[in-house]
Amino acid sequence: VHRFRGVRKPGAKRTDGNETVLVQGARVSNASVNRDLALISAALNRLVRHGALDRNPATLVRRGREPKHTRAVLSKDECRRLLDACDPHLRLLSLAMLTTGARPGELMAVRWRDLSFDDQTIQITRTKVGNSDRLPMHPKLAEELATVREQRAVERHGTVGQREHVFLSSQGKPNWDHRWSWKKAVEAAGLGDREKLSLYSLRHSFATHYLEH
């Protein structure tokens, strides 16, 4: 990875000994290289644990420097305005992000069996780090989730299955592209002039407001 970082142009080649790299596109960012290197290192660590390797050679590779990005954080008033501007499906997902700090993909994977209304907790599987957490549900989130479950049961003239996904799109899909709905909500909330504002800003805002207490 380190030796070929200087290859920039699409289609350019660089050869070291018997190894050749062909670059198909633009230069890969340091962040992408670092993520790939972390994955390779994790695989090699497993080989070390199983005795197939004496040591992990990936630990000798220097990580590239990544630029520091300023994260957009919403004030509590802005959070309220944004939630009010969301459509019902995006609102539920946004409220969950804002009160749990979970990622959108983690929440879209949540099924009704992962919720406990008795102790007001929600089970989150963190595929990015390979573990799971049971997080407390904010009373407002628990209230809205209970309402959604009742509405779906009425619409189906039956019950909601425990294996069904919780956070659905307007078409009833569990994995959906929220970008257009988010853009509309941001504009309606009067936050269109805020830079770098994304759904992840709710996750960052959760962390910021949590640390204030």
Side-chain angles (χ1 to χ4, degrees):
V1 173
H2 178 70
R3 279 178 290 174
F4 302 128
R5 189 169 287 148
V7 179
R8 291 173 177 269
K9 295 180 180 179
K13 294 183 179 180
R14 174 175 174 176
T15 302
D16 287 79
N18 295 322
E19 298 175 331
T20 299
V21 164
L22 175 63
V23 180
Q24 301 294 342
R27 182 184 179 188
V28 178
S29 69
N30 283 350
S32 296
V33 173
N34 290 344
R35 301 296 88 74
D36 290 344
L37 184 58
L39 180 61
I40 294 170
S41 182
L44 292 175
N45 279 334
R46 178 168 294 186
L47 292 177
V48 172
R49 289 196 298 270
H50 287 283
L53 288 177
D54 293 329
R55 63 188 179 88
N56 182 353
T59 59
L60 302 177
V61 181
R62 180 180 299 176
R63 268 61 171 175
R65 180 176 296 177
E66 299 180 30
K68 294 182 179 180
H69 300 288
T70 302
R71 294 175 172 176
V73 176
L74 296 162
S75 68
K76 292 181 179 179
D77 178 66
E78 289 173 332
C79 288
R80 285 190 288 268
R81 285 159 51 194
L82 191 52
L83 286 176
D84 290 341
C86 288
D87 64 55
H89 306 279
L90 182 60
R91 173 186 168 82
L92 190 65
L93 179 65
S94 298
L95 180 61
M97 287 189 66
L98 190 58
T99 56
T100 65
R103 299 176 177 87
E106 294 168 347
L107 289 168
M108 290 182 186
V110 169
R111 302 171 188 265
W112 289 106
R113 66 187 179 190
D114 299 319
L115 305 182
S116 173
F117 288 98
D118 292 332
D119 56 8
Q120 292 200 336
T121 58
I122 178 172
Q123 184 78 21
I124 297 292
T125 300
R126 302 193 183 281
T127 55
K128 194 168 185 177
V129 294
N131 62 16
S132 61
D133 293 314
R134 182 160 287 279
L135 306 176
M137 272 196 293
H138 189 279
K140 182 60 177 176
L141 176 61
E143 177 186 344
E144 295 202 14
L145 285 171
T147 300
V148 167
R149 187 172 63 172
E150 292 174 2
Q151 290 175 343
R152 290 183 190 173
V154 170
E155 291 170 359
R156 300 174 187 183
H157 305 287
T159 59
V160 176
Q162 288 291 91
R163 293 179 60 85
E164 294 183 29
H165 288 87
V166 175
F167 300 95
L168 303 177
S169 69
S170 57
Q171 288 77 37
K173 297 180 180 180
N175 296 303
W176 42 288
D177 189 345
H178 52 72
R179 288 174 295 182
W180 176 244
S181 298
W182 172 259
K183 183 178 179 179
K184 289 174 60 179
V186 168
E187 293 292 340
L191 301 173
D193 58 341
R194 291 287 305 273
E195 294 184 3
K196 300 179 180 179
L197 199 60
S198 70
L199 195 60
Y200 274 84
S201 300
L202 297 173
R203 172 176 159 83
H204 304 151
S205 300
F206 162 81
T208 299
H209 296 315
Y210 180 83
L211 292 173
E212 290 177 352
H213 296 286

